[in-house]
Amino acid sequence: MEQTLRQGNGITGGVIWKTLLSFFFPILLGTFFQQLYNTADAVIVGRFVGKEALAAVGGSTSTIINLLVGLFVGVSSGAAVIISQLYGAWDTDGAQKAVHTSMAFAIAGGVALTVVGWVTAPYALRLMNTPEDVLPYSLTYMRVYFLGMVFNLVYNMGAGILRAVGDSRRPLFFLAASCMTNIVLDIVLVVYIPLGVLGVALGTLASQLISALLVYLSLTRTTHIYHLNPKKIAFDGPMLRRIVVIGLPAGLQSVLYSISNIIIQSSINGFGTNAAAAWTAYSKIDGLFWMIMSAFGVAITTFSGQNFGAGQYDRIRKSVRVCLGMSAGTAVFLSVTLFFGGSFIYRLFTDDPEVIAEGMVILRLLAPFYITYVAIEILSGAMRGAGDSLVPMVITCVGICVLRAAWIMVAVPFWPDIRNVCLSYPVTWTATSLFFIAYYLQGGWLRRRIAKAREAEEAVQAAAS
């Protein structure tokens, strides 16, 4: 029955583009609900509380949260890669160790983040030049948000496990339930019970609890290879090292990426509350692009991981070409749609004409360059799926993080304008994409991973004999 389940997901067999799309769409819808989840907070406080509250639930707050959470979620991605490879190779014992170690890591990481986030929130917000009229709202939102870190990481880890074995539907259902809960609570706790930013923060906390509970129950009730036994949740030393070796580069990449965004956000904050609110609204609109690229990235990572574990290396290369084509076409479509229709979307967040005008400057500058990011997401995802995570991390950190920070420090002082701050994005996307294309085409990354996998297999066979 389990072998049938594995074959039935189509990842290691069948038409590649159909398989990718069948896996992609549930992930996309799940990411859509995640984005709607976050956007609902911004829309409701922007309409019913004010632009200061709008700036508070995005802007500096989101950037700091992404910095701290990104490290743990990045390391957790190593667990998803390991589990997808073990699932492709049908290693039951290894998969069980990976599942229980992963969940122990999520719980421990959640507790650590709650403490760190609560203590450092006021200092981090001031370091980012958060406007004084926004600061109290931001601090309230951040501290309540960090109370739910265990729920956040348990859901992300559990959803990653499910997607690693080809099940992208249940995470979608769980996010949908969580999102609807969040929207209802936002309306009740802001519109009818005027708690303001505290209301949306409490709604977020409750919805994170629901998503974590649903994914936890799904893992404990399954009888398949990825079954979670609560009594066995503990760290397995060798497995933890494998997870960290693959996941830590992704975690460090996320941290450095967030640091570069902190530098950007600090520059944006320097232009005042209108700019901070416009950037928050733009980030929610822009999230449409990022959620689609993220869905393609998760799809290709899982596809690459399972096929690598099954020894089907040609399918990895073919899937990269197919996924690049689909994601590039999507990027062009979104660029055109947002460039011409962005002003209507901004009005969902605010009626303030200055904020809308500022936001349209940002959107029309960045949207045409979305296609320059595509290769970064797809190529790095395929490489991580095969176990090559260090070099993609270095390329991303140099091409995006270092270059973006250099742009802000060198170019922006010569032209202190929000448009010059925004230009750091297409410049760094283009440079990093070129680095990734060159590294991917030379092919050594896959040959090295194949050689290492064969050496490990021969060592196991020698030990068994």
Side-chain angles (χ1 to χ4, degrees):
M1 181 177 177
E2 294 186 358
Q3 290 283 10
T4 302
L5 173 68
R6 180 173 61 150
Q7 294 167 359
N9 66 32
I11 292 178
T12 56
V15 180
I16 290 176
W17 69 267
K18 289 183 179 179
T19 302
L20 278 171
L21 287 180
S22 66
F23 194 59
F24 162 79
F25 280 116
I27 298 172
L28 175 61
L29 288 173
T31 312
F32 167 77
F33 281 114
Q34 182 71 59
Q35 182 65 24
L36 181 61
Y37 184 114
N38 297 326
T39 302
D41 291 352
V43 169
I44 290 171
V45 298
R47 302 290 297 188
F48 294 99
V49 183
K51 61 185 178 184
E52 294 83 5
L54 171 60
V57 300
S60 302
T61 305
S62 292
T63 307
I64 295 169
I65 289 172
N66 290 338
L67 169 66
L68 295 177
V69 175
L71 173 62
F72 285 88
V73 173
V75 176
S76 299
S77 70
V81 169
I82 293 294
I83 291 169
S84 68
Q85 292 181 358
L86 293 169
Y87 190 73
W90 208 246
D91 182 346
T92 302
D93 183 59
Q96 278 289 291
K97 291 179 180 178
V99 166
H100 291 94
T101 298
S102 300
M103 199 54 67
F105 180 83
I107 294 170
V111 172
L113 276 181
T114 296
V115 175
V116 172
W118 183 276
V119 172
T120 63
Y123 308 104
L125 288 168
R126 290 194 179 278
L127 282 173
M128 292 185 65
N129 299 319
T130 304
E132 286 298 324
D133 54 349
V134 174
L135 188 60
Y137 297 105
S138 296
L139 183 58
T140 296
Y141 187 83
M142 276 190 66
R143 281 186 158 168
V144 175
Y145 189 97
F146 275 107
L147 290 176
M149 275 297 103
V150 171
F151 308 141
N152 187 316
L153 294 192
V154 165
Y155 167 75
N156 277 291
M157 184 65 79
I161 292 170
L162 292 174
R163 292 181 185 124
V165 300
D167 182 358
S168 56
R169 296 179 184 274
R170 278 187 288 179
L172 164 62
F173 299 148
F174 302 156
L175 263 183
S178 177
C179 178
M180 293 302 105
T181 301
N182 186 55
I183 292 174
V184 170
L185 289 175
D186 279 356
I187 294 172
V188 171
L189 297 176
V190 175
V191 180
Y192 295 101
I193 304 175
L195 296 179
V197 169
L198 176 60
V200 296
L202 291 173
T204 299
L205 180 65
S207 56
Q208 287 177 337
L209 170 60
I210 289 174
S211 62
L213 182 61
L214 289 172
V215 79
Y216 174 81
L217 291 174
S218 70
L219 291 174
T220 55
R221 292 180 178 180
T222 186
T223 58
H224 297 301
I225 188 174
Y226 52 91
H227 169 73
L228 176 69
N229 184 342
K231 296 180 180 180
K232 293 183 179 180
I233 295 177
F235 289 108
D236 177 83
M239 182 57 67
L240 181 62
R241 283 193 292 273
R242 289 183 63 184
I243 291 171
V244 170
V245 165
I246 292 180
L248 185 58
L252 292 176
Q253 175 180 315
S254 177
V255 168
L256 293 173
Y257 206 119
S258 294
I259 289 174
S260 71
N261 286 337
I262 285 175
I263 296 171
I264 297 289
Q265 185 66 56
S266 298
S267 297
I268 296 292
N269 288 343
F271 294 105
T273 300
N274 286 335
W279 186 258
T280 295
Y282 165 74
S283 69
K284 305 306 179 185
I285 298 171
D286 184 52
L288 179 63
F289 170 73
W290 295 109
M291 74 179 186
I292 293 175
M293 290 302 108
S294 175
F296 275 122
V298 173
I300 195 65
T301 300
T302 301
F303 196 98
S304 175
Q306 286 201 27
N307 280 283
F308 186 86
Q312 304 212 41
Y313 308 120
D314 285 341
R315 283 179 65 81
I316 297 176
R317 300 185 185 93
K318 291 177 182 177
S319 68
V320 168
R321 293 195 294 269
V322 171
C323 204
L324 279 173
M326 291 190 296
S327 53
T330 303
V332 172
F333 173 77
L334 283 175
S335 294
V336 173
T337 301
L338 293 179
F339 187 90
F340 291 105
S343 60
F344 300 102
I345 306 175
Y346 266 108
R347 289 185 174 87
L348 292 172
F349 297 91
T350 181
D351 289 327
D352 191 307
E354 293 181 350
V355 173
I356 294 173
E358 197 88 38
M360 286 307 298
V361 169
I362 297 170
L363 182 60
R364 286 184 169 162
L365 180 62
L366 293 180
F369 292 98
Y370 283 160
I371 195 169
T372 62
Y373 178 79
V374 168
I376 300 173
E377 188 71 39
I378 304 309
L379 298 183
S380 64
M383 293 170 190
R384 280 196 300 270
D388 184 1
S389 58
L390 180 58
V391 175
M393 183 269 287
V394 173
I395 292 175
T396 302
C397 290
V398 172
I400 288 184
C401 306
V402 175
L403 183 56
R404 188 170 295 170
W407 183 276
I408 296 300
M409 290 186 288
V410 176
V412 172
F414 284 99
W415 180 29
D417 187 275
I418 195 170
R419 286 167 290 184
N420 196 19
V421 176
C422 294
L423 280 174
S424 64
Y425 282 86
V427 168
T428 53
W429 291 340
T430 301
T432 309
S433 287
L434 292 175
F435 291 150
F436 266 110
I437 291 169
Y439 180 63
Y440 177 82
L441 290 178
Q442 57 86 23
W445 65 275
L446 185 56
R447 289 193 295 271
R448 287 191 295 272
R449 298 309 306 170
I450 293 172
K452 190 169 182 178
R454 287 174 176 167
E455 288 176 5
E457 184 178 351
E458 290 172 357
V460 171
Q461 291 175 350
S465 61

